[in-house]
Amino acid sequence: MAAEELPSEFDVVILGTGLAESVVAAAFSRVGQRVLHLDRRSYYAANWASFTFNSLLTWIQQHHEEPQPEELHDWSSLLEEGEELIYLSNTDSTSVRNLQVFCFTSEEGEEAEAQSPDAPNTTEEVSAGDAVKETSETESADSKYEETNQKPEEEEEEEQASQTEGEEPEADQPTPTAAQSQSEPTKKKISYAQLVKEGRRFNIDLVSKLLYSRGSLVDLLIKSNVSRYAEFKNVTRILTYRHGQVEQVPCSRADVFASRQLSVVEKRKLMRYLTSCVEETEEQRAYNGRPYLEFLCDQQLGNNLQHFLLHSIAMVTEDTPTEEGLASTRHFLRCLGRYGNTPFLFPVYGLGEIPQCFCRMCAVFGGIYCLRHSVTCLLVEKETNRCKAVIDSRGQRISCSHFVVEDGFVGADRKRLATPTRFLSRAVLITDGSILPSNSDQQVSMITVPPVAAGCPTVKMVELCPSTMTCMPGTHLVHLTCQSVGSAFEDLSPVVTRMFRTPQSHDQEKNPSVLWCLYFNMADGSEVKGHDLPSNVFVTFGPDGALSHEHAVSQAELIFKKILPEEDFCPPAPNPEDIIYDGENTSTGGEEEQSLQTEE
Amino acid sequence: MAIRELKVCLLGDTGVGKSSIVCRFVQDHFDHHISPTIGASFLTKTVPSGNELHKFLIWDTAGQERFHSLAPMYYRGSAAAVIVYDITKLDSFQTLKRWVKELKEHGPEDIVVAIAGNKNDLGDIREVPMKEAKEFADSIAAIFIETSARNAVNVEELFQKISKQIPPLENPEVESNDSFKLTRQPAPSYRRCC
C-alpha cells in the first residue's frame, strides 16, 4: 500500500465526492472518459455523507476546531508560457455552522464493562439492547442532564463537555452489572457508553432526503444499473403532527379504507378528490396564482382532509399557488404503489451510500479514486481562459480538459454572491422509541410538522428504524430539516421539545425520549450562484432543502450535456452474466450495451 | 435446491492477483496481461453446497484500493471476504493486518474471512513463509490457503472452504427482510390510490 504517483493526464478531474460530483464522475467514466476523482476529506460523499456514531463525533469535533489556514505554496514554478494560477479555497469551514450537541442519557451504562476493546458475544448485547427498548417510560430519574441548563450561546464549552464526558467511562469504570441487566429486563435507558460501543451500527446522514419512487434519482439508478449496488426500503407510513398529536395520513386506497380516524363521508370525499385531481380541469385552472389552500377550502373537504392534503401529500405551505400544490399532489400520487404504499424509498445504510455507488460505477469503468487528496490550484491559459491543468496537493501537475469542483472549494472571492447564503437547519436525534408505536417496530416514517407557531418554519422529519441499518437496536434515528429562520437549535428545538421527551419537555410521558441529539446549520445548495472561473470549470452545489434529489441529478446531467452533448448520460452497465471473457476480444450480451473494453 | 446469493468482497494490495483469482474461479481462465477489470463490477458463479446452491457475487475493488480509497459500501452485506497477498512480496503480507483492521471497522460482524497467498507457482522467489501466514490466519480465525491463479491451484478449494464456513440458513423467512433492489421491472403496482 505504498503511495503511488497519480497519472498526469485525464479528460476530467473532479474534486468533491458529493452526489452531483459522483454522478458526473460515473457518467463520464461510463462513456470512456478518463476520470480522476479526488476529495480532500478522508470519507466519501462530502456533505451528503453518513457517519457511524463515532465518526460523527469526530466530524463534530473537526467543525469546532478553528480551520488551520494551510500554507499557500507558491506553484508558479510549474507555470508554462502564457499560463496563470487560480488558487482554490483550502478550507471548507463555511458550509456547516452552529453545531450543538446534547446528551440526555447517562454517560456510563450498566454495561460499561463492554468498553474493553474485544468484547465477546455481541449478539447478546444486541438482545439486551432490544430489551431496553420499550423500557423508557418508567424511568428518567437516573439520567444526567448536566448540559441542559446551559444556554445556546455557550455552545463551545457545552460541546467540549460532551466530548470529554464521552471519553470518561473508560477512565472511571463503574462496577459493571452486565449479566444482571441482561437477565432481568430492568428498565434501563441506553447509555451514552452503549451508543459509543455500538457506534458502528449507526449510519447518520448529514442530509435528510428520500427518494421519490418515480423521481429522477430512482430512474437514473435503474437506467445506469448503479441500482445493483444498493438496497432500499419503503417508507412505510406518512405521519403528520396536529393538535399535539401524531397521526397517520391515509394516502393509498388501502389506507383510506382502513383509516379509523376518518369518517365514511371523509373517506368518500378524499377518494373523490384524489381521483379528480389527477386530471387538470378548468376549475383548477381558475385558481392559478391563488393559494392551494383556497382551492382546497372551496372543495368543502373539512379540516382533517385539508390538513392531510396540504401538509402531507402536497407538502406545501399555506400560500403555495394552486398549480404548484396540484403538481406536487400529482407527483405524490404517481409515486404511490410502485414499490410500496407510500411514494418514498430510503436506502439501507443511509443516503451516503448513493454517492458511493456512483463512485463505484466510475471506478469500475476505470475512474481513479483518491481521498485525502486535493487540488490546490488551476493552471489557466491566459489567451483562451481555459483550465489546462490542475496542481494537486502534492504539487503534481495533472492536465485535464475539464474540471468539476464542489462549491465548497471555490473561494468566496470567485463567486458572485447575489444574496447572502441561505442555510438549512438540521437536527439529528437518537431516541429510544418510535414517535407513533404500532404493531411493527420497524416502521420508516415521513412526518410533516406544520409551523408550531406563527413565523416558525415547516419541519420535515424522517424517523428511521434499526432495520434500515442506520441505528442500533432499541433506538430510532430521527432527522429534522427546515429552511433556517434562526439557528438550527432555535428553529428545531421547539418541535423536538413538543414531540419528544427531553429534560425541557413537560407532560410528555408517552413520547419517546431523546438520548442524544445534534443541531447544525448547513448551507442550502439550491442557492445557485455564478462564478468567474474559466469556461471549462464547472461548479456543483451541495445538498438543498428539498425532500427529493432532483436538484443534484439535474445539475450532474446538465454538466455532462454541456461537455459531451452527443453522448448518452449513464447508459446501463452490462450485467455480470453478460460479460464474456475470451482473452482476445470481449463481447457483451444484452441489448443496450455499448462497446466495452475489458481485458486485452 | 434453494439458491442463496452470497456477496464476497476481495481485498489486498494492487497487483497481488485479486482479479486473476476471480477470473480463474469464474471463467477458468488466466490472462497474463490482465488490466484492472473494467466494466465488471462483480462476477458470479454458482456452486453446490450441502442442500443449497451458493451463488457467489464476487466484488472486485475496481482499483479503489490503489490509493486507499475503498468506500464503506464495498463491504456492506458481505458474507465473506478474501484478503489476497502475494507470497513473493513481503510488503503485501505486511499490509494484511491493515486490511483485517479495515474489514473489522467497515465489514459485517459475522463475515467469513479467508486469506489467500497467491502466486504459489513462484515458490522459488517466495518471501512469505507459509507457516507464518498460517499462524496469522489462525490468530484471527480466518481460512488460510495458498493459491495459484495462473496454474489453477487451490482456487476452487478456496471458495469451497468459504462455502463450508457459511452458516446454513436456519430460518429462511427470518432472513428475508423487506429491503430490495430497484430493477427495471418494477413490482406490479397494487393498491394504487386512484
Side-chain angles (χ1 to χ4, degrees):
Chain A
M1 299 186 21
E4 257 185 280
E5 277 263 292
L6 287 171
S8 58
E9 212 185 310
F10 289 90
D11 295 310
V12 189
V13 174
I14 302 170
L15 180 59
T17 50
L19 182 59
E21 302 91 81
S22 302
V23 173
V24 170
F28 279 113
S29 176
R30 180 66 190 89
V31 297
Q33 301 276 306
R34 294 164 303 167
V35 174
L36 174 64
H37 200 174
L38 306 172
D39 201 316
R40 192 185 46 212
R41 305 165 181 92
S42 59
Y43 51 87
Y44 276 94
N47 279 349
W48 302 78
S50 314
F51 292 110
T52 62
F53 188 64
N54 306 309
S55 46
L56 182 66
L57 296 178
T58 310
W59 180 85
I60 293 167
Q61 204 161 19
Q62 282 167 355
H63 280 273
H64 272 288
E65 284 161 9
E66 280 297 304
Q68 299 277 325
E70 280 169 50
E71 224 174 284
L72 268 191
H73 198 288
D74 183 13
W75 295 116
S76 44
S77 59
L78 293 167
L79 281 176
E80 285 171 13
E81 187 68 31
E83 292 176 350
E84 63 180 349
L85 288 174
I86 295 179
Y87 283 91
L88 292 179
S89 159
N90 56 14
T91 49
D92 176 33
S93 53
T94 51
S95 67
V96 173
R97 55 170 70 167
N98 304 334
L99 283 93
Q100 283 175 266
V101 177
F102 299 89
C103 180
F104 298 143
T105 185
S106 59
E107 296 293 338
E108 310 98 10
E110 61 277 22
E111 289 183 6
E113 169 195 57
Q115 285 284 320
S116 65
D118 41 29
N121 62 21
T122 4
T123 36
E124 275 188 61
E125 242 98 70
V126 173
S127 47
D130 268 329
V132 174
K133 187 160 163 281
E134 295 137 46
T135 61
S136 55
E137 264 113 282
T138 46
E139 66 142 42
S140 56
D142 75 337
S143 304
K144 295 182 189 167
Y145 301 135
E146 301 99 315
E147 290 166 278
T148 56
N149 310 333
Q150 302 179 22
K151 308 221 161 49
E153 297 89 78
E154 296 165 8
E155 59 171 286
E156 289 294 323
E157 296 95 289
E158 193 173 76
E159 166 51 22
Q160 268 152 21
S162 119
Q163 292 285 335
T164 42
E165 274 157 28
E167 286 150 21
E168 260 165 33
E170 282 172 296
D172 56 333
Q173 298 237 343
T175 331
T177 53
Q180 194 189 345
S181 81
Q182 276 170 28
S183 55
E184 47 160 274
T186 44
K187 313 295 185 184
K188 283 274 197 257
K189 237 195 214 178
I190 292 176
S191 67
Y192 184 78
Q194 277 172 292
L195 295 180
V196 170
K197 181 176 160 285
E198 298 286 329
R200 61 199 293 286
R201 292 177 181 274
F202 289 91
N203 281 295
I204 302 169
D205 294 320
L206 294 184
V207 294
S208 179
K209 288 176 175 289
L210 295 172
L211 285 81
Y212 276 89
S213 71
R214 291 182 198 276
S216 58
L217 183 56
V218 166
D219 287 349
L220 180 64
L221 285 164
I222 293 174
K223 177 190 177 207
S224 61
N225 276 344
V226 171
S227 59
R228 63 167 64 129
Y229 303 139
E231 291 201 354
F232 292 84
K233 273 189 176 298
N234 284 309
V235 171
T236 54
R237 52 186 191 174
I238 309 282
L239 307 176
T240 190
Y241 184 72
R242 53 191 297 244
H243 312 317
Q245 298 284 328
V246 176
E247 291 176 24
Q248 182 157 0
V249 177
C251 55
S252 70
R253 186 186 285 269
D255 286 350
V256 173
F257 287 120
S259 170
R260 265 175 287 174
Q261 77 239 58
L262 295 181
S263 70
V264 179
V265 178
E266 282 177 317
K267 286 181 185 184
R268 263 192 230 130
K269 278 184 176 170
L270 181 58
M271 285 310 296
R272 198 185 312 135
Y273 181 80
L274 293 176
T275 314
S276 71
C277 78
V278 175
E279 302 282 320
E280 200 179 332
T281 62
E282 267 313 310
E283 191 206 351
Q284 292 168 5
R285 268 193 289 274
Y287 284 83
N288 280 4
R290 288 157 63 194
Y292 186 43
L293 182 63
E294 215 176 297
F295 176 74
L296 289 174
C297 282
D298 293 350
Q299 305 298 309
Q300 315 285 338
L301 293 160
N303 282 338
N304 272 344
L305 298 184
Q306 203 170 293
H307 177 99
F308 291 157
L309 286 164
L310 186 76
H311 295 290
S312 304
I313 293 182
M315 288 183 280
V316 295
T317 58
E318 301 198 336
D319 43 14
T320 306
T322 300
E323 62 273 25
E324 220 176 280
L326 282 166
S328 45
T329 304
R330 290 188 195 112
H331 186 43
F332 183 102
L333 295 175
R334 258 198 314 278
C335 292
L336 282 178
R338 182 173 190 187
Y339 296 104
N341 276 338
T342 74
F344 306 114
L345 299 171
F346 184 81
V348 179
Y349 300 107
L351 292 161
E353 296 293 284
I354 307 284
Q356 294 179 51
C357 291
F358 282 99
C359 290
R360 177 165 173 84
M361 181 58 87
C362 173
V364 158
F365 283 90
I368 291 183
Y369 276 82
C370 206
L371 299 177
R372 301 168 219 92
H373 202 116
S374 192
V375 167
T376 52
C377 51
L378 314 182
L379 286 170
V380 181
E381 191 174 53
K382 283 185 203 156
E383 198 183 322
T384 56
N385 191 31
R386 284 179 69 84
C387 172
K388 284 174 67 183
V390 298
I391 294 174
D392 76 357
S393 40
R394 295 189 193 150
Q396 189 185 343
R397 181 185 167 117
I398 299 168
S399 66
C400 62
S401 316
H402 302 280
F403 180 59
V404 179
V405 56
E406 174 196 318
D407 171 57
F409 293 101
V410 180
D413 50 328
R414 290 280 164 188
K415 293 178 207 166
R416 288 194 291 265
L417 294 169
T419 50
T421 315
R422 280 199 313 182
F423 278 84
L424 304 173
S425 286
R426 290 272 295 115
V428 176
L429 320 178
I430 299 172
T431 67
D432 68 352
S434 174
I435 189 137
L436 185 63
S438 71
N439 303 336
S440 160
D441 57 358
Q442 298 295 327
Q443 301 270 12
V444 183
S445 312
M446 161 76 205
I447 306 117
T448 49
V449 186
V452 286
C456 289
T458 301
V459 175
K460 284 196 279 280
M461 189 156 118
V462 174
E463 186 190 69
L464 303 166
C465 59
S467 71
T468 60
M469 311 300 268
T470 57
C471 54
M472 67 181 274
T475 65
H476 279 71
L477 188 64
V478 182
H479 289 281
L480 292 91
T481 313
C482 69
Q483 291 289 340
S484 296
V485 176
S487 75
F489 180 82
E490 288 160 3
D491 289 346
L492 296 171
S493 65
V495 174
V496 172
T497 311
R498 260 166 236 236
M499 298 180 70
F500 297 89
R501 196 141 60 100
T502 70
Q504 287 85 8
S505 58
H506 308 286
D507 309 323
Q508 312 283 358
E509 288 303 299
K510 61 184 182 15
N511 294 350
S513 293
V514 177
L515 303 173
W516 183 90
C517 62
L518 161 69
Y519 294 92
F520 64 96
N521 289 97
M522 186 185 277
D524 182 345
S526 63
E527 289 294 283
V528 180
K529 296 151 245 157
H531 63 81
D532 58 359
L533 293 166
S535 59
N536 61 337
V537 174
F538 300 85
V539 180
T540 54
F541 297 91
D544 62 337
L547 187 61
S548 77
H549 295 75
E550 311 297 308
H551 182 63
V553 173
S554 63
Q555 268 187 79
E557 186 162 7
L558 201 69
I559 290 171
F560 181 82
K561 288 288 174 198
K562 265 190 199 158
I563 298 176
L564 296 174
E566 306 293 311
E567 291 278 2
D568 197 358
F569 179 64
C570 293
N575 293 317
E577 285 83 2
D578 299 332
I579 301 173
I580 301 150
Y581 292 79
D582 58 3
E584 292 301 299
N585 55 13
T586 305
S587 52
T588 61
E591 327 83 288
E592 316 101 317
E593 266 71 84
Q594 303 256 312
S595 75
L596 173 87
Q597 312 99 43
T598 36
E599 315 148 24
E600 273 119 55
Chain B
M1 263 194 288
I3 296 191
R4 232 174 114 188
E5 290 199 345
L6 299 171
K7 176 174 166 183
V8 179
C9 59
L10 290 171
L11 295 170
D13 289 4
T14 304
V16 294
K18 296 184 294 295
S19 298
S20 301
I21 289 178
V22 191
C23 215
R24 172 60 74 191
F25 178 60
V26 174
Q27 270 118 12
D28 198 14
H29 168 81
F30 183 82
D31 194 318
H32 287 267
H33 309 287
I34 194 160
S35 64
T37 319
I38 293 176
S41 49
F42 52 85
L43 294 172
T44 66
K45 180 164 175 169
T46 307
V47 294
S49 171
N51 297 326
E52 297 172 337
L53 285 174
H54 284 172
K55 181 178 183 185
F56 287 111
L57 312 181
I58 308 163
W59 286 43
D60 208 299
T61 56
Q64 282 178 308
E65 86 289 6
R66 200 166 144 200
F67 298 101
H68 323 310
S69 303
L70 269 178
M73 63 80 68
Y74 181 66
Y75 303 93
R76 307 285 192 214
S78 294
V82 181
I83 313 180
V84 186
Y85 70 94
D86 176 346
I87 67 153
T88 72
K89 291 209 171 64
L90 189 58
D91 278 2
S92 74
F93 178 70
Q94 281 161 344
T95 52
L96 276 191
K97 286 195 180 104
R98 218 163 128 178
W99 289 115
V100 171
K101 182 170 168 270
E102 207 166 307
L103 197 58
K104 283 245 153 38
E105 222 166 278
H106 300 295
E109 282 166 61
D110 48 356
I111 193 164
V112 173
V113 181
I115 290 176
N118 194 33
K119 310 199 187 173
N120 100 326
D121 49 296
L122 301 174
D124 47 334
I125 51 167
R126 172 192 288 275
E127 287 184 5
V128 183
M130 199 202 276
K131 185 167 168 282
E132 201 179 314
K134 174 83 173 78
E135 278 169 11
F136 174 69
D138 287 346
S139 74
I140 58 161
I143 296 167
F144 173 75
I145 196 162
E146 281 199 355
T147 57
S148 165
R150 181 194 184 124
N151 294 351
V153 175
N154 280 344
V155 175
E156 293 269 345
E157 288 77 359
L158 165 66
F159 286 91
Q160 278 166 11
K161 281 183 180 229
I162 291 172
S163 252
K164 277 195 204 126
Q165 290 246 329
I166 302 281
L169 274 189
E170 278 166 19
N171 189 347
E173 268 103 81
V174 173
E175 185 82 352
S176 69
N177 76 5
D178 53 350
S179 61
F180 51 88
K181 290 215 154 75
L182 306 181
T183 56
R184 244 154 252 270
Q185 294 83 30
S189 94
Y190 57 102
R191 293 193 187 176
R192 265 211 76 173
C193 160
C194 33

